Amino acid sequence: MTIHFTISRYLHKNLILESIKPCLTFTFATVVSLFSLATLGNDDVTQWVDPFIGTGGDGHTFPGAVIPFGMVQLSPDTAAVSRGIDPQAQIYKHSAGYHYDDDTITGFSHTHFSGTGHSDLGDLLIMPMTGTVHIQPGTPDNPDAGYRSRFSHDNESATPGYYSVELTDYKIKAELTATARTGLHKYTFTENGKGHVLLDLTASIYNFKNKVIWSDVRVIDPQTLLVYRSTNGWAKQRETYFAIRFSRPFDDIELINEDNNRYRCNGCLSKDSKKNKPSTIVNSAIQFTAGKAIKVLTHFNDVNKEPLLIKVGLSAVSRKNALENLTTELPHWNFDQVRQQAKQQWQQQLSVVKAEGDRAQKRQLYTALYHALQAPSIYQDVNGQYRGVDGEIHQTTDFQHYTLFSLWDTYRALHPLLTYIAPEKVSDMIQSMLVHYQQSYDKMLPIWSFQAHETWTMIGYHAVSVISDAYLKGIQGFDTELAMKAMIATANNSRYDAIDDYKKFGYVPMDKLSESVSITLEYAYDDFAIARMAEKMGHKTVAKTFFERANSYKNLFDDDVKFMRGKSSQGKWNPDFDAEEAKLMGPFTEGNSFQYTFYVPHDVDGLINLIGGDKAFEQRLDLLFNKELSHEKIKDHEDIAGLIGQYAHGNEPSHHIAYLYNNAGKPWRTQERIRQIMDTLSSDQPDGLAGNDDVGQMSAWYVFSAMGFYPVAPGDLSYSIGAPQLPHISLNLNNGKTFSVDAKHLSTANKYIKSVSLNGQPLLRSYLTHSDIINGGKLKFIMSDQPNKNWATSQAARPPSMSLKNKN
Amino acid sequence: MTIHFTISRYLHKNLILESIKPCLTFTFATVVSLFSLATLGNDDVTQWVDPFIGTGGDGHTFPGAVIPFGMVQLSPDTAAVSRGIDPQAQIYKHSAGYHYDDDTITGFSHTHFSGTGHSDLGDLLIMPMTGTVHIQPGTPDNPDAGYRSRFSHDNESATPGYYSVELTDYKIKAELTATARTGLHKYTFTENGKGHVLLDLTASIYNFKNKVIWSDVRVIDPQTLLVYRSTNGWAKQRETYFAIRFSRPFDDIELINEDNNRYRCNGCLSKDSKKNKPSTIVNSAIQFTAGKAIKVLTHFNDVNKEPLLIKVGLSAVSRKNALENLTTELPHWNFDQVRQQAKQQWQQQLSVVKAEGDRAQKRQLYTALYHALQAPSIYQDVNGQYRGVDGEIHQTTDFQHYTLFSLWDTYRALHPLLTYIAPEKVSDMIQSMLVHYQQSYDKMLPIWSFQAHETWTMIGYHAVSVISDAYLKGIQGFDTELAMKAMIATANNSRYDAIDDYKKFGYVPMDKLSESVSITLEYAYDDFAIARMAEKMGHKTVAKTFFERANSYKNLFDDDVKFMRGKSSQGKWNPDFDAEEAKLMGPFTEGNSFQYTFYVPHDVDGLINLIGGDKAFEQRLDLLFNKELSHEKIKDHEDIAGLIGQYAHGNEPSHHIAYLYNNAGKPWRTQERIRQIMDTLSSDQPDGLAGNDDVGQMSAWYVFSAMGFYPVAPGDLSYSIGAPQLPHISLNLNNGKTFSVDAKHLSTANKYIKSVSLNGQPLLRSYLTHSDIINGGKLKFIMSDQPNKNWATSQAARPPSMSLKNKN
């Protein structure tokens, strides 16, 4: 998803074949693999992760160093700009700071979103330099005008927890690694003479004018700085503290306040700086400056003697905590040790999945897993303190606090996937949502929140889906009654969007709120998720109420046009209806009626009935995939991308649709579509993602779909079967059991399921249940080049729907 | 003092006799007095306090509601301006927000300095309105253009803890009272119809452009708001949180962000506000806004039915703490009860002093005491949390944390006075300075600090004087070894001004730092204070070192010109020497050599020797008082005010000088000068202060001098005797003893001491000791119209000097 707020538009995906790059990466990965064989053995799966996948096209991933769910993402920025919109910055394209198209780097900053459509972060840009000292970034067209350096993908590499690049203009090799809360830079200067390191506190991602509210820098000693920065971006007044330590003392430092007549504290370290003390209100010997445009230059003599390392601890709470995070997690200067630890954390987290397949398949799969393990990310200091959505400092005692809930995206597949690949984190993530509810002034579960801020981005209240799905799967460790209370309160909050009208009318009237159809449909699904959990908890009245609300989708289905359609509070259908149009402030959210009419994931059978039965439904699905969508209809939305007809794989509302053929008794059509999507909209190249990865949702779609199934309606505990894409994938579950998927005879031609068995017994339905997976077992597909039109066609064999199975 | 940073200059003191004002105030005070007789009895001393004294001229005091040492000073502002310099604002004149010359009020804000020359604060301006609603302040010349209202001193009154005014333009009676951490407003609307209350978050004192860094407002319920504001003023990024509660629900509210195309959340309370929701990134039903130019308008119907009360809790820590401070200290809506409590706190604190005299004398004395009990002020929430100078949140367990250390001013007389009139607070104030030392990144005791910020304003390290004086007087409850460590560390800090050069050369060379002579002289005195405490503690080496440093003053006395004079690091005297010149960046701080040559308070005998003996010294003193100081010589300094010749009673460097005749064996000359200063530079009128009250220092000078003695060199435990100004003053000491001063035959003519006895024994010296006071006793002066030229003339009878008595 993205939000309607973009400045530049990246229309033409980079289709130039980057033929040499994968080979280089592979070579480098092989070296790392050999290096670490002693500890990782032959099962080193980190070798298959290519952090560059998604950094091209509209993937919006970053290539830098991070550990699983880490607070710090230390990564190169290629378009970060100082103070205001650089006309060349293309801010949508640079949502993750870096884009593979670029050939200059502005520096390395410590926080990045993975795959978002809107953006923020890019905190504390650091850039080493030699030669002429610059404090302005320069432009991509004229990097010599600033501190920006040229670079080449030939001299760049990235593996989980590690990134390296040669800054061509400075002949500096830059290497990055990270712990949970710290970033570690290693700069190897290859020429004699002086070196310089710039900290540009004005640089940021999605950097509008006056984004920096305030910042300050204090020199603690000639190796240590404390930095504060507050920015007004997607999050209002987001505050970050940094403790920065250099591996050796700088020989001089300049604190530059560009708003203060570009005052430079030249030679602050020399005693002579005091003699110009301008008044009794200044102590110019105190190395501190504060303002909205602060830059720091540190200078080093004889830089080529040994590499210069810089370690940076982050905190959202205080300078003290930033320093404590730094000294706790990074007490030493052993870069290789940190890099190895990061790699081992990835190896441990990634080896939950064991896959066989060709190189490209494994690269896609493990990179998708890698991208699915980025967030929600740690948002708590080593001492347990964190900043809550109320702006207050809180202390955890019994859970790890997480942030970054891109829920409109991630409730669909990412959170269901985490219940298998990182189940030990799920309860803490839910507890983080529950404290958000408790701490929020609006008494709401998160909508789209990060770093102590609710952005109110996108629609629905999908936190309820995440909680319900986890609860029904038996994830424990959170207060379930509190959770139910929070879910009900959220779903009934009068202040949020149009909930009161939704309850009153049974739909959101289009004259009350824009995006009224999408909102109604997503509320209805969310209500199903609440009902399912309430039902299981024995809260019968609640379950009944919300199962009824889950039928609200029917109120916006116009039987005349057979589409979901806007309706006014007077009950009048939208007179300007156009099933293909996706306009801003219209009845749909980043989509059109063609796509959103399919958004009844919890009651596909009910939808099939409305549309007119299996055949009509299949035809409608085909129309979706076949009818070309003109650019004119979607010109407001750069996120409606990755098109097959009207199907937009690059945006979330389409993600479940290919699986719906199963519900019409045509599973081979789903199998075809999955392969079609895989073949045309996914690769192991930098531009291999069809759209924003959206904090792992696109990647989670890939992981599930590659295994051969997908959670169409999280909370119903079923997975619609598609078509496996790798010959073998197994999940090492944390209950000690293994669920394995084998696809015999899988090939380019053999995209169809001939038959499937579970634990040796024929599986005659086109869906799996959570029990099938969590109890361990062997799912074996026999693939064929011919569709099996007899398998799983009966009503009983189709994936469950609320109207058939769950309605009380 | 003030600093060299002023924009406007208030050249002509208001000399218009405000003949009717005192009578009105007196009438009102009498009413209050009668009202409270039941509790306060005949000893109600609050009746003598006139908070308007000092609000005219250059006094810079505020007339509003405060309790002793309270965190909140809720007071009217007459020149507060929004966003940038109002050319009419005369910011120096309005350092306390209010000036008695003015005839319009912009509103009532919650924080004010008392008597400072530089300024800041004025947090959260609130203004009630009727009729046309304004959100801009208008100008004094054209109040109808804005929310500013005319007012008249005829309809204005103030007593300790209470302020009232009629806002003429709106026919609203505004009343203010306060607790330690809250302000309570009472607005009585006298006409039918709608009323409005504006919160102007852009208003501030010393309001430069872009002073507001960030602010936000959140509507919690229709009676409660939470507000945050961060400003960049004298303190960098000072953060304040406010919890605001109205006594009844507002009927509508508008959150105005002037930077956001003047977006108004019109009718936020109505459900229709949602339909224009501009995108999925906004939840316009959430009543929250943030930015740099926020104003809030609340609207009330039928305002004349009952008064509207607004209570506001402040915190420097968090919104949560602001709310906790509010609900803890102000759980009810009983305005009169709060007002009575404030009055009783003043009565208790003021009745430490019992005075007899005429009405004007008592008004001056008790108002001076009132002004001496304003600060250091509480800076800690009810839960014990406070923000430290490191920006971190700290928790006290065993002391009350104070802020506002205007030490260059207040070490002279205010802090010594507090050891008698508020001794129970002194240890906590010292502990507050010690945690400042521990928490400061520079490991320094405060210089001029307030609200978690060190401003580095003015010179010296006078915290050592405050601590030494208190320690030597037996004040306990703080860690004395820590204190000594802090004092030594501060006095040796290489990063502060020119301490290293001072130690190396024995003086601060004028080519190393401006104000070098003043700095040297004040260091020397401070070193004496350290030595005194170290001597008492038994740290002999430390004492020896600092007694030696205390002689540094001798290094800048030029025997040729017999003045203190700038000297270079090459040992060359300043070639541009002019004893009368007080130029910016010159060798003196807000003063000239005439004044600063006398700044050897700890070794006046040593100074007398340098100048050439008693007679030469007396002549020099006479020259100081008699030689007219041309405006041209002091044009850089508006704070060099209250002149008698070169003597500037309006600024601190002169404060001890009138007492120095005693040291030359001419005590009757001191007696003459004290009376001269009292008669010409002090009155009970609004312009009754000769210059900035400087957070109570001017007032403390008055209190001591009115009693007949003054601490020339705090830490030497002696008080130089001047001339009592009231027939009777007694101090009720907290050890249960009473020290009383009687001045028999005192009259306008009888300004001289004929004789003096202590506890019935003739007192033959021109000084008192701390023991004389603290042990209780009766000091009786017999006054005369003729000087007694035989009393206390001998060397032994003169006040002590380091070179005679204290040198080891």
Side-chain angles (χ1 to χ4, degrees), chain B residues 549-623:
Chain B
R549 280 172 58 158
N551 277 305
S552 303
Y553 73 90
K554 294 174 182 169
N555 300 325
L556 290 185
F557 186 84
D558 179 2
D559 203 50
D560 288 341
V561 296
K562 298 285 181 189
F563 275 100
M564 296 293 178
R565 182 172 182 179
K567 193 195 281 186
S568 76
S569 53
Q570 281 74 43
K572 305 284 187 199
W573 291 113
N574 177 17
D576 299 326
F577 178 70
D578 176 343
E580 296 183 49
E581 188 179 60
K583 68 175 176 185
L584 286 178
M585 305 284 285
F588 298 93
T589 301
E590 295 186 3
N592 60 18
S593 182
F594 246 108
Q595 295 153 357
Y596 257 102
T597 293
F598 289 107
Y599 195 77
V600 190
H602 56 296
D603 194 12
V604 185
D605 284 322
L607 178 65
I608 290 172
N609 284 339
L610 290 176
I611 287 183
D614 291 349
K615 188 163 187 68
F617 190 71
E618 184 189 4
Q619 286 170 346
R620 175 65 66 79
L621 283 166
D622 282 344
L623 195 58

Side-chain angles (χ1 to χ4, degrees), chain A residues 299-316:
Chain A
H299 304 288
F300 298 85
N301 301 327
D302 305 325
V303 283
N304 68 326
K305 284 185 180 169
E306 59 181 29
L308 175 67
L309 277 72
I310 305 172
K311 52 190 181 185
V312 180
L314 271 69
S315 167

Side-chain angles (χ1 to χ4, degrees), chain A residues 218 228 237 274 277-278 280-281 285 318 320 392 441 455-458 494-495 497 512 515 585, chain B residues 218 228 237 274-275 277-278 280-281 285 318 320 392 441 455-458 494-495 497 515 585:
Chain A
R218 184 181 295 275
Y228 161 82
Q237 214 212 358
K274 297 174 189 174
K277 172 174 165 152
T280 53
I281 207 170
S318 68
K320 176 174 155 286
E392 307 282 337
Y441 287 106
T455 70
W456 302 113
T457 302
M458 309 309 293
S494 296
R495 278 191 173 182
D497 280 357
K512 296 288 186 181
E515 309 180 16
M585 305 285 284
Chain B
R218 183 181 295 276
Y228 161 82
Q237 211 212 0
K274 296 174 190 175
K275 75 181 172 193
K277 174 176 162 150
T280 53
I281 207 170
S318 68
K320 177 174 154 285
E392 308 280 338
Y441 288 106
T455 71
W456 301 114
T457 302
M458 309 310 292
S494 295
R495 278 191 173 182
D497 281 357
E515 308 180 19
M585 305 284 285

Side-chain angles (χ1 to χ4, degrees), chain A residues 188-203:
Chain A
T188 304
F189 294 76
T190 55
E191 293 199 337
N192 287 340
K194 289 199 171 192
H196 320 277
V197 176
L198 174 74
L199 281 66
D200 187 346
L201 273 66
T202 70

